[in-house]
Amino acid sequence: MKQIKNIAIVGTGVIGASWTAFFLYKGFNVYAYDPAPDAEENLKNRVTIYLRDLFELDHETDFDGKVTQLLAQLHFKNELADAVAEADFIQENGPERLDLKQDLYLNITKNCPETTIIASSSSGLKVSDIQKNSLHPERIVLGHPFNPPHLLPLVEIIGGEQTSQTYKDQAFEFYSHLGKKPILIHKEVKGHVANRLQSALWREAFYLVSEGVCSAEDIDIAITNGPGLRWAIYGPYLNMQLANQQGFKAALHHLGGPMMEWWGDMHAYTLDENEIEKLDQQTQVFIEKLGEFDLLAKRDEALIDILSMRKKLELP
Amino acid sequence: MKQIKNIAIVGTGVIGASWTAFFLYKGFNVYAYDPAPDAEENLKNRVTIYLRDLFELDHETDFDGKVTQLLAQLHFKNELADAVAEADFIQENGPERLDLKQDLYLNITKNCPETTIIASSSSGLKVSDIQKNSLHPERIVLGHPFNPPHLLPLVEIIGGEQTSQTYKDQAFEFYSHLGKKPILIHKEVKGHVANRLQSALWREAFYLVSEGVCSAEDIDIAITNGPGLRWAIYGPYLNMQLANQQGFKAALHHLGGPMMEWWGDMHAYTLDENEIEKLDQQTQVFIEKLGEFDLLAKRDEALIDILSMRKKLELP
């Protein structure tokens, strides 16, 4: 794998800006492109905030000078071709429409070096479809982060039909080396892995409120004061291991029966305008109760705290 | 509501012992009963460990003397009648078999004061069934904790057909007053709320591994480095609010379509001996990779850390 010095960020919305901050923080030159008006200004504002998060995560203080230094390594380009021409790695964060994506990949691959890995942040599209019209499609992979990407370590990697194993392995190695926690997915399924897992939870959360079993606030309290506390520590498998003193198998022998009964009692659920209205109303009631509480700022403060703890305890 | 001084714990396995520590820590006299051999010794050993967790959670040091003092308020009784006779509140943690449970409640209600609230830790049974043969069934409620109950704040409360609203409200108030985070469930559904939510996640986690999409280790990494980090901070509703800068409704307008596609792609899944074997094998491979890592001790250390952070940031 060639040495990576220059990163190109294609699409600099919230996700692209967060990736930009991450790569700058890791010492790369970043070339960014986005056709939206004010994109450059918005990007620099967001990156400044995200860089501060990253310094805080590393318990650094007095980092204003360093932020300015890192921002000098960010080069916004008005043409896609200029952003990708010298790129050693490209992180793409364009709109989630297949026709647009395919055009974009044709343009990227026409203008970047032949062996540059192109990783897509797409949460919904298949790499097999994304890579269809592009040149040298074997180096196109999914590099799907979780919001906000500069803080959350997960990156989901998968290739399409035309992607080579070598490039998947290189992408995995690259992200790992930077301290991310990539996983390599073996089969293309809708929503990849983490979005499927979280949407399974959302479905039941919506269903229970829609059926009047409890309120939206109750659901959130149940998660953050119950199982959610454990999910920041271990995932479903290690938690099941701990659910019984004899371990995973004994836990499932004990819990499997009731759990299958609960699964059998779960129902399909359809989101329509009425449902969205109902769920939103309850969410806003909950938020109003919280008063002057800055949801976003507190979330990121809490994330930094949990990530530090996970590092300290060397959690997997 | 009468003043509560004496708590009876019926059933002193892992859950009962954890409740015992919690109530001792909060200053109550605890009368405990369990027919198992060695129950008293096991209880005292466990309670000693759990009390130390609670002192650590409150950042107390030098608490050995205090642990001894609190243990002196624990009275193990060899007869159920003696444990419940003077109880102002009863937390029941017996086996999850309806016939045993109904017999147990008949015995408890024959021997305790008429207006003592009896809260069941049952994770699977309905209060309507539990209370069927008992005396004064109107004061029997569910008080379902999450493991480990001395640390996790969630308590799910619901009544059965014969439970009165007054007693449900009193149970809610009592747990709240002690710093727990109770939720009041309005409809009896299988698995209550939190177990349904977490089993929805487990189902998809099992399905993806069973289908070869990724490994058990990948699932756990995806959760603890992705959505799981956020679930220790906010639940599904507040997280959806933050998924779009315009809030909950805009987030669902944007995400609802793809999410329904993922839901449509999720399949029923059945746990049988083969499946359990397969999932367990992968879990043990993952655990072996972790080497000398003490899963349980690290989990509780991490829990205490996250709970302190949640208190400091006043998260809901």
Side-chain angles (χ1 to χ4, degrees):
Chain A
M1 186 176 174
K2 68 180 170 189
Q3 214 205 327
I4 292 175
K5 286 185 188 165
N6 300 326
I7 306 277
I9 301 288
V10 176
T12 61
V14 174
I15 300 294
S18 179
W19 272 124
T20 302
F22 176 75
F23 287 119
L24 286 173
Y25 189 73
K26 293 293 174 182
F28 297 99
N29 298 311
V30 178
Y31 296 83
Y33 166 76
D34 193 301
D38 302 326
E40 183 172 2
E41 197 191 333
N42 287 335
L43 173 61
K44 289 191 172 158
N45 290 338
R46 284 186 178 131
V47 166
T48 305
I49 295 167
Y50 299 159
L51 283 173
R52 302 177 71 92
D53 288 344
L54 289 164
F55 282 111
E56 278 171 23
L57 182 58
D58 282 341
H59 303 289
E60 290 216 35
T61 47
D62 254 352
F63 42 67
D64 285 346
K66 289 181 193 164
V67 168
T68 309
Q69 269 175 9
L70 291 178
L71 280 170
Q73 305 305 313
L74 170 57
H75 313 283
F76 191 89
K77 297 288 177 184
N78 291 316
E79 299 295 333
L80 174 64
D82 296 336
V84 302
E86 306 286 324
D88 305 311
F89 186 93
I90 299 172
Q91 185 78 42
E92 170 275 315
N93 323 279
E96 288 282 270
R97 258 181 54 193
L98 185 58
D99 53 342
L100 297 178
K101 213 70 141 186
Q102 287 178 335
D103 286 351
L104 183 61
Y105 274 76
L106 180 57
N107 277 326
I108 294 174
T109 54
K110 267 184 186 167
N111 289 289
C112 75
E114 278 180 19
T115 58
T116 294
I117 298 175
I118 312 171
S120 175
S121 298
S122 173
S123 63
L125 302 176
K126 286 185 175 182
V127 176
S128 294
D129 295 326
I130 290 176
Q131 70 191 167
K132 251 178 196 149
N133 301 336
S134 60
L135 309 181
H136 307 289
E138 66 280 359
R139 46 38 189 292
I140 297 173
V141 299
L142 185 83
H144 179 236
F146 251 68
N147 198 21
H150 67 291
L151 292 180
L152 293 212
L154 178 62
V155 183
E156 295 178 303
I157 298 174
I158 183 169
E161 285 157 21
Q162 300 182 72
T163 311
S164 80
Q165 187 63 41
T166 313
Y167 283 108
K168 286 190 270 185
D169 292 343
Q170 285 184 5
F172 188 94
E173 201 188 305
F174 176 60
Y175 287 123
S176 296
H177 181 72
L178 299 181
K180 287 288 178 200
K181 281 281 196 177
I183 64 168
L184 202 51
I185 301 175
H186 305 300
K187 276 189 191 176
E188 282 193 300
V189 288
K190 287 178 185 172
H192 320 313
V193 166
N195 264 329
R196 286 177 77 101
L197 292 169
Q198 73 171 345
S199 71
L201 186 73
W202 260 317
R203 176 164 70 174
E204 189 59 15
F206 294 160
Y207 171 79
L208 289 170
V209 170
S210 178
E211 290 291 306
V213 173
C214 65
S215 69
E217 179 181 359
D218 291 334
I219 294 279
D220 274 21
I221 288 176
I223 290 295
T224 57
N225 292 279
L229 292 169
R230 301 191 296 217
W231 287 327
I233 303 168
Y234 301 138
Y237 285 90
L238 291 186
N239 276 317
M240 188 57 83
Q241 170 77 14
L242 292 181
N244 189 291
Q245 289 173 301
Q246 268 71 51
F248 187 90
K249 218 189 280 190
L252 273 190
H253 284 151
H254 189 76
L255 253 181
M259 198 145 64
M260 282 198 277
E261 252 196 75
W262 306 333
W263 292 344
D265 197 48
M266 288 179 191
H267 300 284
Y269 172 76
T270 305
L271 274 172
D272 57 27
E273 213 40 55
N274 271 341
E275 285 295 314
I276 292 176
E277 190 63 48
K278 189 158 83 176
L279 303 178
D280 179 57
Q281 222 163 33
Q282 289 221 8
T283 308
Q284 302 318 317
V285 168
F286 180 24
I287 291 171
E288 262 173 46
K289 266 198 194 173
L290 298 176
E292 296 291 292
F293 189 91
D294 185 339
L295 278 178
L296 190 65
K298 291 263 192 177
R299 182 197 68 185
D300 289 348
E301 204 178 331
L303 271 179
I304 289 172
D305 207 289
I306 294 176
L307 288 166
S308 297
M309 176 277 287
R310 288 185 51 81
K311 204 182 262 181
K312 189 185 71 190
L313 296 185
E314 299 177 4
L315 299 182
Chain B
M1 187 176 175
K2 68 179 171 190
Q3 215 205 327
I4 293 175
K5 285 185 189 164
N6 300 325
I7 306 277
I9 301 288
V10 177
T12 62
V14 174
I15 300 294
S18 180
W19 272 124
T20 301
F22 176 75
F23 287 119
L24 286 173
Y25 190 73
K26 293 291 174 184
F28 297 98
N29 298 311
V30 178
Y31 297 83
Y33 167 76
D34 192 301
D38 302 328
E40 183 171 3
E41 196 191 334
N42 287 335
L43 173 63
K44 288 190 171 156
N45 291 338
R46 285 187 178 130
V47 166
T48 306
I49 296 167
Y50 299 159
L51 283 173
R52 302 177 71 91
D53 288 343
L54 288 165
F55 281 112
E56 279 171 23
L57 182 59
D58 283 340
H59 303 289
E60 291 215 35
T61 47
D62 254 353
F63 41 68
D64 285 347
K66 290 181 193 164
V67 168
T68 310
Q69 268 176 7
L70 292 177
L71 280 170
Q73 306 306 311
L74 170 57
H75 313 282
F76 192 88
K77 298 288 176 183
N78 292 316
E79 299 295 333
L80 175 65
D82 295 335
V84 302
E86 306 286 324
D88 304 310
F89 186 93
I90 300 172
Q91 185 78 43
E92 170 274 316
N93 324 279
E96 288 282 88
R97 257 182 54 192
L98 186 58
D99 53 343
L100 297 179
K101 211 70 141 185
Q102 287 177 335
D103 285 352
L104 183 60
Y105 273 77
L106 180 58
N107 275 328
I108 294 173
T109 55
K110 267 186 186 165
N111 290 290
C112 74
E114 278 180 20
T115 59
T116 294
I117 298 175
I118 312 171
S120 175
S121 298
S122 171
S123 63
L125 302 176
K126 287 185 174 181
V127 176
S128 294
D129 294 327
I130 290 175
Q131 70 191 169
K132 252 178 196 148
N133 300 338
S134 61
L135 309 182
H136 307 289
E138 66 280 359
R139 47 35 189 293
I140 298 174
V141 298
L142 184 83
H144 179 236
F146 251 66
N147 198 22
H150 67 290
L151 292 180
L152 294 210
L154 179 62
V155 184
E156 295 178 304
I157 298 175
I158 184 168
E161 284 156 22
Q162 300 182 72
T163 311
S164 80
Q165 188 63 41
T166 313
Y167 283 108
K168 286 189 269 183
D169 292 343
Q170 285 184 4
F172 187 94
E173 200 189 306
F174 176 61
Y175 287 123
S176 297
H177 181 71
L178 299 180
K180 287 286 177 202
K181 281 280 195 177
I183 64 169
L184 201 51
I185 300 174
H186 305 301
K187 277 190 192 176
E188 282 192 300
V189 288
K190 288 180 184 171
H192 319 313
V193 166
N195 264 330
R196 286 178 77 101
L197 292 169
Q198 74 170 346
S199 71
L201 187 73
W202 260 317
R203 176 164 69 175
E204 188 60 15
F206 294 159
Y207 171 79
L208 289 170
V209 170
S210 178
E211 290 291 306
V213 173
C214 64
S215 69
E217 179 182 0
D218 291 333
I219 294 279
D220 273 21
I221 287 177
I223 289 297
T224 57
N225 292 277
L229 290 170
R230 301 191 297 216
W231 287 327
I233 302 169
Y234 301 138
Y237 285 90
L238 292 186
N239 276 317
M240 188 57 83
Q241 170 76 14
L242 291 181
N244 188 292
Q245 290 173 300
Q246 269 71 52
F248 187 90
K249 217 189 279 189
L252 272 191
H253 284 152
H254 189 76
L255 253 180
M259 199 145 65
M260 282 198 277
E261 254 196 74
W262 306 333
W263 292 345
D265 197 48
M266 288 176 190
H267 301 282
Y269 172 76
T270 305
L271 276 172
D272 57 27
E273 213 40 56
N274 271 341
E275 286 295 313
I276 293 176
E277 191 63 48
K278 190 157 84 177
L279 302 177
D280 179 56
Q281 222 163 33
Q282 290 220 8
T283 306
Q284 302 317 318
V285 169
F286 180 24
I287 291 170
E288 262 173 46
K289 267 198 192 174
L290 297 176
E292 294 293 292
F293 189 90
D294 185 338
L295 277 178
L296 190 65
K298 291 261 193 179
R299 182 197 68 184
D300 289 348
E301 204 178 330
L303 270 180
I304 288 172
D305 206 289
I306 294 177
L307 288 166
S308 298
M309 177 277 288
R310 288 186 51 81
K311 205 182 261 181
K312 188 185 72 191
L313 296 185
E314 299 177 5
L315 300 182

